[in-house]
Amino acid sequence: MVLVTTPLSVWLVVTAVGAVSFVYRLSFFLLFGWLDSVPHRVQRPLEFVGPSVIAALVLPAVLVQGGSVSVFTPELAAALVAAVVAWRTENVAATVAVGMVVLWTVGWLA
Amino acid sequence: MSPRGALVDGAVDVAPASLSLGSIGVVVGITAVQVGLTSPQAVWMSLTVYNGLTQAAMLGLMGSHAPAVVVAVAGALVNLRLVMYSASLAPHVERLSLRERVPAAYLLVDVVYAVSIVAFETGRTDEPVPYYLGAAITTWCCWQVGTVLGLSAGTVVPPGLHLEFAIPLLFVALLVPLLDERPSLVAAGVGGVVAVLAAGLPFDAGLVVGTGLGVGAGLLAERWWSS
């Protein structure tokens, strides 16, 4: 198993994702003409990748601590408050700032 | 409208969103330092991947010592939405030559897409290419400056502040607005819960399994509610 801790693997992974991203960006700029829009069968799943993959990243980051699920943590409190701020304001900077303050406050009280 | 006027309009319209993106860049830059990337590596990432959400996802996984393949697959998945932006904008860049489409495509990110497509569809501009470039170049500069500022700030931030947690918070901020329809909510719920339950799987397989099942659940939910 190759961890992304060696300098070479960092360069390789970053370059690979950069190349893939560029192909995504260029895809329909080049295909347009042959293919006038994304086929419906491809477009619908694509729209669910965003919510699904972000939730699959964020929930374990908030709930799983040292290999097991923990609920009463400063991290969960911070994430819940941040979710409310995001919902009410849709402001990224405010969401991150309020979440960090909650994390520090609850961590300091606990 | 003159091309130059359209270029300025694009830059002005995107400015608030670009500045906000620049502040995300600062967070991403600080995190890159804390995860252990060197400055050249972090700058290379901002230049090639050039996407806040994707870079944050990759850095978060690198910080939790995920295998290289997992980081690469996660990056490729998170960035998939760029295909949709590319398809949606393609008719508006049709008059560019093939050689011009390459730099135009490179500059495509979320906020540039959002501002441009609104301007094109509401008729705010009749010069789509300069408008797009004005928005795109402004955004690119804000992102690069933001991450470099973060890289400098990252070396003086004490580690006890747990700033690495800014990444999950960033995801929360970006996820919540996506949950505007019930099928999206189902996709996110299933994706997240499966990823938590599968957290012990080798190779962080929970991320890919969770994403796949989440997408499937979203499609089923959509069919259910539309029938």
Side-chain angles (χ1 to χ4, degrees), chain B residues 39-112:
Chain B
S39 291
Q41 287 169 338
V43 169
W44 179 240
M45 188 183 222
S46 277
L47 288 173
T48 57
V49 179
Y50 180 38
N51 191 278
L53 193 56
T54 311
Q55 290 178 230
M58 293 172 72
L59 290 171
L61 288 167
M62 287 176 181
S64 60
H65 304 295
V69 176
V70 172
V71 180
V73 169
L77 275 178
V78 176
N79 244 358
L80 252 182
R81 67 195 187 292
L82 292 173
V83 176
M84 282 193 287
Y85 302 159
S86 177
S88 173
L89 282 181
H92 303 282
V93 296
E94 212 184 357
R95 68 171 113 137
L96 290 178
S97 71
L98 284 184
R99 192 177 293 178
E100 290 164 335
R101 286 180 200 188
V102 169
Y106 164 69
L107 292 169
L108 180 56
V109 281
D110 306 66
V111 295
V112 175

Side-chain angles (χ1 to χ4, degrees), chain A residues 14-96:
Chain A
V14 169
T15 305
V17 176
V20 169
S21 305
F22 180 65
V23 170
Y24 291 162
R25 290 174 160 116
L26 194 60
S27 58
F28 277 84
F29 280 23
L30 293 186
L31 288 173
F32 190 75
W34 294 329
L35 207 59
D36 284 351
S37 65
V38 192
H40 190 72
R41 232 182 315 155
V42 179
Q43 191 194 344
R44 296 313 300 164
L46 276 182
E47 283 182 19
F48 293 118
V49 171
S52 191
V53 72
I54 301 173
L57 284 164
V58 75
L59 257 69
V62 170
L63 287 173
V64 181
Q65 312 259 315
S68 60
V69 176
S70 342
V71 181
F72 299 103
T73 59
E75 283 79 5
L76 183 61
L80 289 175
V81 174
V84 174
V85 175
W87 176 45
R88 304 304 299 188
T89 68
E90 298 211 350
N91 182 322
V92 173
T95 303
V96 174

Side-chain angles (χ1 to χ4, degrees), chain B residues 15-41:
Chain B
S18 288
L19 288 175
S20 160
L21 189 71
S23 67
I24 297 177
V26 174
V27 174
V28 166
I30 291 173
T31 315
V33 174
Q34 301 205 330
V35 165
L37 260 64
T38 63
S39 291
Q41 287 169 338

Side-chain angles (χ1 to χ4, degrees), chain A residues 92-107:
Chain A
V92 173
T95 303
V96 174
V98 170
M100 287 310 297
V101 169
V102 172
L103 181 78
W104 294 328
T105 312
V106 177

